[in-house]
Amino acid sequence: RRIGLSRYEQTLKPPAHDKGTMSDSELACVYAALILYDAQLSITADKILKLAKAAGVAVEPVWPSLFSRALEGKDVGALISNVGSGAAATASAAPVAAAA
């Protein structure tokens, strides 16, 4: 007996990206940069591209160099730890400025 999978086809397809969301290339570069950081390796365009290729993700050529240059000399651990803290600092500074 054959199992019909046609009703699952839409579920198995990757979601279409909306405007304003990251592309597969961007996500692959983010994950590759995080992997390199976790492995305590330098984050270079070549290494990002190698990881993406090893994962079977086709990456637009601009992204690896863009990500490596953006993270060059940055403390990636601090960037990860401070996600969202900028918005909280701005929100808490507003009442202080109003009180002054």
Side-chain angles (χ1 to χ4, degrees):
R1 181 173 177 207
R2 186 169 179 258
I3 300 172
L5 296 176
S6 61
R7 65 184 172 145
Y8 297 106
E9 285 178 352
Q10 292 300 318
T11 306
L12 298 175
K13 290 181 184 176
H17 291 291
D18 295 329
K19 289 182 181 178
T21 61
M22 297 179 83
S23 70
D24 290 342
S25 292
E26 291 171 283
L27 285 172
C29 290
V30 168
Y31 292 141
L34 290 173
I35 290 167
L36 292 168
Y37 168 75
D38 190 53
Q40 298 178 348
L41 298 170
S42 60
I43 300 171
T44 65
D46 289 338
K47 290 178 183 175
I48 290 172
L49 191 57
K50 284 180 185 179
L51 280 171
K53 283 184 180 180
V57 179
V59 175
E60 296 171 44
V62 68
W63 293 116
S65 61
L66 186 69
F67 272 84
S68 66
R69 282 187 270 153
L71 295 172
E72 187 176 342
K74 303 289 189 297
D75 182 358
V76 177
L79 291 173
I80 294 168
S81 298
N82 293 322
V83 171
S85 64
T90 303
S92 64
V96 173

